Amino acid sequence: VGIARLLRGVGGSNIVLRHKHCAGLLRSITYDSISGGNATTMHVPAQARVVVCGGGIIGASVAYHLAKKGCNDVVLLEQGSLGCGTTWHAVGLVGRLKSSTAATKLCEYSASLYAKLEQETGVTTGWKESGSLAVARTKERMTVFRRLAGLSKAVNINAELVSREDCHKLNQFIRLDDVQGGLWIPNDGVVNPSDVCHSLARGATQQGVKIIEKVQVEKVLSSNGSVSAVVTNKGQIRCEYFVNCAGQWSYWLGLKCDHAVPIPLHPTEHLYVVSKPIEGISPMFPTVRDPDGLIFGREWSGGLCAGGFERNAKPCLHHGIPDKFEFQLLPEDWDQFRPLLDEILHRFPIIENAEIRQMINGPESFTPDGNPILGEALDVRNYFVAAGLSSFGIAFGGGVGKVVAEWIIDGRPSINVWSLDLRRFAVHHSNRRFLQDRVTEVVSGHYSMPWPKKQYTTSRGVRWSPLAPRLQQLGPSWEEKMGWERVRWFAIPEDSDVEHDTFSRPRWIRCLHHEMTSCQTAAALFDLTSFAKFELMGFDALCLLQSLCCSDVNIPVGSVVNTLMLNETGGCEVQCDVVRLDENRYLVMSEPEQATILYHWMRKHNTSVSICDITGGLSVIRLLGPRVNEMLMDCASLSTASGDIERDQWLGHAPALLVERNDFIMKGVDVFVSNDVNMNTYSFDSR
């Protein structure tokens, strides 16, 4: 009955929204109206310092902030019209407080910018500081809110934990009988996304940026490993920098570089409904978020705009985006929307008798971890990416533009954005099948419970150690790191149920205690095959590493040092182990999630050293504990005079390299063997 009432205003007609239908629902300002009538189909210039591709809110923000930093030799290219891709159908929520400091700083800057942008450009943004109220159905969600409230103090954002009664005072139109409490952020707001995009564009053109519509990028050219030109259907532009801000087109645009740039994102359906005006809904109606129901709601033109982030999201446009997909949406999908609709009716009873103006089903691109993708490409210098905003493009837009402009002009952002860096991904993350499977789970991650040590269940088992079948027999809990399946802990007999989610002391702590005891009293083996491993060879290998590492790596052959690779400001780029294999040959090893940035950082500063990724062919078994030597005595030759471990050994029937470690609380040995003999080595040791 509720669905019948909700659909009463639809009349059963096909609601595939096009640009011509959206005048009264989603305002759209043409570029001509803010540019003084300048022609937008002009020929492209022969040269520019920076070419930005994509005229949505991200591209407009990047161009605006580049000009703010004094770089106005910028050309922004848009294949259609400004804001015609994803920006125009965005909901426009601008929340300041996110789960990480970096994301919070970006969103806080965006909100501050949108609030004052109209004064600068003369183009409205639709900014309303109406506040936001997040409600909690469970005690665990209140724990999340308490932690967010603590973060808010550290980043100077006004956020207040409120009771159920306070929630009612803040918003009388929501159901609260199942609510434990809430989090009130009075300075959150909403905007009209199209207006923000055009306001940023006006600000950019006022400072000399050229914005040209109806231009398609056909190829990005490079020379000597760096961006050199952009080929379009209107001519070629020589440039120093290229910024891919093409939204859901970014993946395909990355492939158009003469050295393909993998950008891991995939579009999914993102649905919400907008009602006709409802009596009592004021323009300052606070945004309501119900993360336990995976839904949100805001005021829109006197009515209610409500949607969410459903479980089992539906990927779309897997094989490409249709030509001229401008100001277009996907067909309505009420079956997919049904779970969210039930939650919306539960939380917003007022919408039950309202007439629905439109269902919006717009494709949004999501990344493998739900965070935006920013930064420089791995193999092409000066090719920057700002994409994959995962439905938070409006909230992040201002901050992303600022950070990317700093990256280009200053060489690095003013804040730590490692959690958003393109280099956090590996090549397999851009596999279309991987992305199609993963984004079904990522979408709901925006609102689902952020349990500690939470793992994705989709797109698993990409990379395995040769020891995995043997380890599986011992009752492991698996985690995924950079595609590798790794053991987190081994269950002990008295703990049959340790895989449970909690914010308190987890049961698996007892499993770790058992393993620590083994390390302290006997010996333990750790499979570190997942670690990134790079072999450096050449006369300048030592010189290169000495220039990158903060520790002295001029160590004896067969020795290892744990060190940091620092940037020009003294900040840490990578933590790694450096093993000296020979006079001009080194092995550099790091945690798997640092594999891409480690390779990029060494390659960026390298001129003559051979750098080879040997991760997939080399296994590492780390031995820790006071009885390591005793264990090795049975399967490897030791010097009887000193008890020292010889470097080159035969362990069982396999040749191995043994490297002693002295940088831990307890001494240990790293055993390096090729993957084809890994199982033989492990099985011999464990007899």
Side-chain angles (χ1 to χ4, degrees):
V1 176
I3 293 177
R5 290 176 179 174
L6 192 62
L7 297 179
R8 186 172 57 195
V10 175
S13 61
N14 184 20
I15 312 174
V16 182
L17 191 60
R18 297 293 187 268
H19 177 43
K20 64 182 181 180
H21 296 143
C22 68
L25 176 61
L26 301 174
R27 293 192 303 169
S28 179
I29 306 172
T30 65
Y31 176 68
D32 279 344
S33 69
I34 68 165
S35 62
N38 294 338
T40 60
T41 56
M42 57 194 293
H43 293 295
V44 298
Q47 185 171 341
R49 186 181 182 194
V50 183
V51 173
V52 179
C53 180
I57 192 169
I58 301 301
S61 181
V62 169
Y64 171 86
H65 285 91
L66 283 169
K68 279 291 185 181
K69 290 189 71 67
C71 177
N72 58 8
D73 187 12
V74 178
V75 174
L76 188 153
L77 304 177
E78 165 56 47
Q79 65 177 349
S81 303
L82 285 181
C84 71
T86 300
T87 297
W88 74 277
H89 62 70
V91 174
L93 306 184
V94 185
R96 297 173 186 259
L97 189 58
K98 303 299 179 184
S99 58
S100 70
T101 301
T104 297
K105 288 182 178 179
L106 295 184
C107 293
E108 166 68 5
Y109 173 81
S110 295
S112 301
L113 174 65
Y114 301 159
K116 63 184 181 182
L117 192 59
E118 181 178 355
Q119 298 176 2
E120 176 187 339
T121 66
V123 178
T124 182
T125 61
W127 168 257
K128 293 186 296 185
E129 197 170 280
S130 52
S132 74
L133 174 66
V135 297
R137 303 188 188 188
T138 65
K139 293 180 180 179
E140 290 79 12
R141 184 65 68 176
M142 283 303 297
T143 297
V144 175
F145 287 175
R146 280 193 292 271
R147 295 182 176 187
L148 286 173
L151 173 62
S152 72
K153 295 179 181 178
V155 294
N156 198 29
I157 290 177
N158 185 9
E160 178 185 356
L161 290 170
V162 293
S163 65
R164 180 191 303 173
E165 293 73 22
D166 293 329
C167 292
H168 179 71
K169 294 176 183 177
L170 292 166
N171 194 316
Q172 296 81 35
F173 296 98
I174 58 176
R175 180 178 176 179
L176 294 169
D177 59 327
D178 61 342
V179 167
Q180 301 273 334
L183 183 66
W184 168 246
I185 307 176
N187 301 123
D188 277 358
V190 294
V191 295
N192 185 298
S194 293
D195 290 350
V196 174
C197 179
H198 287 85
S199 190
L200 288 167
R202 167 63 70 85
T205 58
Q206 286 174 339
Q207 299 172 81
V209 172
K210 296 181 179 67
I211 298 179
I212 310 176
E213 297 176 317
K214 311 300 181 184
V215 176
Q216 289 187 337
V217 173
E218 297 178 343
K219 194 79 172 178
V220 179
L221 305 179
S222 63
S223 177
N224 298 321
S226 183
V227 167
S228 61
V230 176
V231 180
T232 78
N233 62 336
K234 297 291 181 67
Q236 180 171 303
I237 308 173
R238 297 190 305 275
C239 61
E240 297 179 42
Y241 297 90
F242 178 77
V243 190
N244 183 339
C245 303
Q248 60 189 337
W249 287 269
S250 295
Y251 174 93
W252 305 104
L253 180 59
L255 301 181
K256 292 183 178 181
C257 185
D258 54 12
H259 194 301
V261 175
I263 302 173
L265 54 81
H266 196 292
T268 71
E269 291 187 359
H270 184 52
L271 306 106
Y272 64 89
V273 293
V274 181
S275 78
K276 291 184 177 181
I278 300 174
E279 184 178 355
I281 299 291
S282 73
M284 296 304 289
F285 180 93
T287 297
V288 176
R289 295 181 175 88
D290 180 1
D292 294 309
L294 305 177
I295 61 169
F296 61 80
R298 64 158 288 189
E299 182 274 341
W300 196 295
S301 299
L304 189 67
C305 168
F309 300 95
E310 72 273 23
R311 296 181 179 88
N312 301 314
K314 183 182 287 188
C316 59
L317 307 177
H318 180 67
H319 298 291
I321 302 170
D323 189 36
K324 298 187 183 302
F325 193 80
E326 305 166 19
F327 296 111
Q328 295 190 41
L329 297 176
L330 304 170
E332 71 271 17
D333 192 340
W334 291 101
D335 289 337
Q336 181 70 13
F337 192 61
R338 174 61 188 268
L340 296 179
L341 178 59
D342 291 341
E343 296 292 345
I344 290 168
L345 289 170
H346 172 80
R347 187 59 59 209
F348 300 99
I350 194 172
I351 203 174
E352 184 175 358
N353 295 312
E355 293 189 0
I356 299 303
R357 178 180 293 176
Q358 293 283 10
M359 164 182 266
I360 308 299
N361 183 4
E364 296 265 9
S365 51
F366 286 78
T367 64
D369 60 5
N371 287 329
I373 297 174
L374 309 179
E376 190 176 19
L378 178 63
D379 295 319
V380 185
R381 292 189 303 275
N382 296 345
Y383 187 118
F384 283 83
V385 179
L389 276 296
S390 302
S391 196
F392 285 156
I394 308 304
F396 275 101
V400 165
K402 178 176 183 290
V403 162
V404 173
E406 292 171 344
W407 221 322
I408 292 172
I409 304 302
D410 302 332
R412 66 182 59 259
S414 58
I415 63 173
N416 181 358
V417 291
W418 163 244
S419 60
L420 316 178
D421 197 312
L422 172 62
R423 296 171 296 176
R424 72 186 186 273
F425 293 119
V427 174
H428 74 272
H429 286 112
S430 295
N431 175 275
R432 294 300 283 175
R433 181 57 184 271
F434 178 98
L435 289 167
Q436 185 180 31
D437 294 342
R438 173 58 62 85
V439 296
T440 62
E441 184 180 9
V442 168
V443 172
S444 65
H446 282 335
Y447 280 1
S448 61
M449 197 69 72
W451 298 112
K453 306 292 185 182
K454 186 175 181 179
Q455 290 281 304
Y456 288 109
T457 60
T458 52
S459 300
R460 293 289 296 268
V462 175
R463 307 182 78 178
W464 293 89
S465 164
L467 294 182
R470 179 64 181 271
L471 299 177
Q472 182 62 40
Q473 301 172 10
L474 305 177
S477 169
W478 296 97
E479 67 176 354
E480 182 263 333
K481 287 286 186 74
M482 210 64 163
W484 286 94
E485 296 294 332
R486 308 200 315 176
V487 175
R488 289 194 285 186
W489 63 79
F490 292 99
I492 52 180
E494 56 267 33
D495 279 321
S496 58
D497 181 24
V498 293
E499 293 275 11
H500 75 297
D501 296 318
T502 179
F503 289 114
S504 59
R505 182 182 175 89
R507 295 175 187 169
W508 47 259
I509 287 292
R510 292 193 290 269
C511 301
L512 297 188
H513 181 266
H514 179 77
E515 295 173 14
M516 278 297 300
T517 301
S518 298
C519 289
Q520 293 170 339
T521 61
L525 287 74
F526 296 85
D527 181 15
L528 304 185
T529 300
S530 62
F531 274 38
K533 297 171 284 290
F534 297 93
E535 185 180 45
L536 279 64
M537 292 188 294
F539 290 110
D540 294 328
L542 173 60
C543 182
L544 173 63
L545 290 174
Q546 289 285 55
S547 68
L548 297 179
C549 301
C550 64
S551 300
D552 183 9
V553 296
N554 190 10
I555 53 179
V557 173
S559 300
V560 60
V561 60
N562 184 261
T563 185
L564 303 175
M565 290 188 178
L566 306 180
N567 55 43
E568 295 84 352
T569 62
C572 178
E573 293 287 336
V574 182
Q575 180 179 6
C576 60
D577 287 339
V578 177
V579 182
R580 192 165 197 174
L581 303 176
D582 211 333
E583 182 179 358
N584 298 312
R585 181 166 162 253
Y586 284 84
L587 174 68
V588 181
M589 184 169 68
S590 74
E591 287 277 356
E593 57 267 37
Q594 294 184 309
T596 304
I597 191 170
L598 172 59
Y599 176 67
H600 178 265
W601 193 248
M602 292 190 297
R603 180 172 173 175
K604 183 177 181 179
H605 297 87
N606 177 46
T607 57
S608 59
V609 176
S610 169
I611 303 176
C612 182
D613 185 354
I614 58 174
T615 303
L618 187 65
S619 294
V620 183
I621 301 173
R622 179 164 293 171
L623 313 177
L624 294 177
R627 300 182 62 184
V628 166
N629 283 25
E630 179 182 335
M631 180 181 65
L632 287 173
M633 187 85 69
D634 296 332
C635 56
S637 56
L638 299 179
S639 170
T640 55
S642 63
D644 293 335
I645 298 174
E646 295 182 4
R647 180 167 155 257
D648 295 308
Q649 297 279 352
W650 283 84
L651 294 185
H653 308 120
L657 170 67
L658 276 62
V659 178
E660 288 191 86
R661 306 187 62 90
N662 295 307
D663 53 352
F664 287 87
I665 297 175
M666 60 192 76
K667 291 185 178 182
V669 175
D670 282 349
V671 179
F672 297 88
V673 295
S674 61
N675 278 346
D676 58 334
V677 294
N678 180 310
M679 183 65 77
N680 180 278
T681 303
Y682 177 85
S683 300
F684 195 95
D685 286 349
S686 58
R687 290 175 186 174

